[in-house]
Structures are given as structure tokens and as C-alpha cells.
């Protein structure tokens, strides 16, 4: 089991290295949000999709099958990314490997943070993490894959070996 988690961590770290933006505008958020939406619709995933900078929402969409609970999950996953500058899934997998819990390891209270997959940092050249792309509504590994696939397609990046196995 630890070998599988370690392999996931390696792949997730490579995704973060590959999926970076030269610039990011509100128009990019709209186009990316629609790309993520198309990715979710293609697999029949009822998810909430959110693209936010640190200070404002640029895109939000709730597909059929979602509930208000998904918006709360989006908020908590996004908070994790904005605090630690890593995908919520990478944070969760690292904690799983270490055997530590989010409050103990990072002082992330459950009421405001989640280390479940589905939120990915918006890395912009020379600025670092300026926001997050977040999905909630299906199992966490699928939430994460929807976000990463949408960003990779938008950027024209081939994920290759960094893609997580099903």
C-alpha cells in the first residue's frame, strides 16, 4: 500500500511541475472552467466547479447531481491549496504516507480545510500560487483527475506518466 501511495505522490508532484501558466486572466478562467466542465460532462460526473483567485471567484458552475454540500467541499479543498500551495490530493496522499492527520501536521481544522482530492493550484510564472481550480462531487481521485485533465488540455500539456492510474 505504501508503494502505491509513494507512486501517487511522485505522479502528483510531476503534475504540479508540468501544469503551470505563463499568465492567467478572467478570460482564461472562463475558458478553463468550460474545459473542466466538458471533461466532467464527458464522464457523466455531477460536480461543482470553481476557479478562484485568492480574493475572488472567477468561474463557478454546479452540474446536475450536485448539492450545496459540494460548495462546502470546494471551499475547504480550495483553502488547503491556497494555504499550502499544493493540490489537496497531494497533501492528503503525503499525510496518508506519513500516518499523520491534517490538524496535527499542518494545523488545518476540518471545519475549514480538506485534504481530499479535487483542488489544484493555479501556478503563474514568477507569481507562484495565485488561486485554485476545484471540483467536488465524485470520488476524490476522480475529482482530481477531472481538474488535472481539464488544465492539461487547456495548456496543451501531455501528462504521460504523471497521469494517475485508475
Amino acid at each position: 500500500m505504501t508503494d502505491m501511495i509513494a507512486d501517487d505522490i511522485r505522479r502528483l508532484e510531476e503534475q504540479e511541475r508540468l501544469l503551470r501558466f505563463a499568465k492567467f486572466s478572467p478570460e482564461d478562467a472562463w475558458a478553463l472552467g468550460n474545459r473542466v466542465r466538458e471533461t466532467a460532462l464527458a464522464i457523466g460526473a455531477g460536480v461543482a466547479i470553481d476557479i478562484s483567485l485568492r480574493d475572488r471567484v472567477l468561474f463557478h458552475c454546479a452540474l446536475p447531481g450536485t448539492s450545496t454540500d459540494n460548495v462546502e467541499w470546494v471551499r475547504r479543498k480550495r483553502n488547503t491549496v491556497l494555504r499550502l500551495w499544493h493540490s489537496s490530493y497531494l497533501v492528503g496522499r503525503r499525510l496518508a504516507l506519513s500516518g499523520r492527520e491534517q490538524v496535527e501536521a499542518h494545523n488545518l481544522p476540518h471545519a475549514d480545510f480538506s485534504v481530499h482530492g479535487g483542488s489544484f493550484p493555479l501556478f503563474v510564472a514568477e507569481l507562484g500560487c495565485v488561486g485554485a481550480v476545484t471540483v467536488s462531487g465524485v470520488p476524490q481521485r476522480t475529482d482530481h483527475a477531472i481538474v488535472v485533465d481539464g488544465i492539461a488540455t487547456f495548456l496543451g500539456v501531455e501528462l504521460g506518466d504523471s497521469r494517475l492510474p485508475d
Side-chain angles (χ1 to χ4, degrees):
M1 183 62 132
T2 59
D3 287 345
M4 187 177 92
I5 295 172
D7 185 60
D8 279 356
I9 291 168
R10 178 190 61 77
R11 291 170 192 265
L12 294 164
E13 288 171 344
E14 180 65 6
Q15 289 173 1
E16 289 187 6
R17 188 188 70 75
L18 290 170
L19 300 177
R20 295 180 175 250
F21 295 79
K23 63 172 188 59
F24 196 78
S25 68
E27 291 78 18
D28 293 326
W30 180 258
L32 175 58
N34 280 296
R35 179 66 245 153
V36 173
R37 179 181 176 275
E38 290 168 10
T39 301
L41 288 171
I43 63 169
V47 296
I49 303 162
D50 180 271
I51 300 176
S52 292
L53 300 180
R54 292 186 170 278
D55 64 344
R56 65 186 165 274
V57 174
L58 297 179
F59 181 94
H60 190 90
C61 173
L63 296 176
T66 58
S67 71
T68 55
D69 199 40
N70 297 116
V71 175
E72 182 61 16
W73 278 97
V74 163
R75 181 187 69 81
R76 293 171 54 227
K77 292 178 193 184
R78 179 181 60 225
N79 284 348
T80 298
V81 170
L82 295 178
R83 178 82 155 279
L84 299 178
W85 288 32
H86 290 291
S87 77
S88 55
Y89 200 41
L90 176 56
V91 173
R93 299 308 278 169
R94 285 177 173 165
L95 288 172
L97 187 63
S98 73
R100 296 178 74 199
E101 206 273 330
Q102 72 185 52
V103 176
E104 170 205 355
H106 299 293
N107 193 28
L108 302 176
H110 293 280
D112 291 314
F113 297 90
S114 172
V115 297
H116 288 82
S119 191
F120 197 88
L122 276 170
F123 288 118
V124 176
E126 299 179 26
L127 296 176
C129 178
V130 301
V133 181
T134 310
V135 165
S136 174
V138 292
Q140 66 173 335
R141 198 168 180 95
T142 306
D143 277 347
H144 177 83
I146 291 168
V147 171
V148 168
D149 287 347
I151 294 171
T153 300
F154 180 83
L155 291 173
V157 171
E158 177 53 48
L159 292 172
D161 188 45
S162 72
R163 185 175 301 283
L164 292 173
D166 292 333

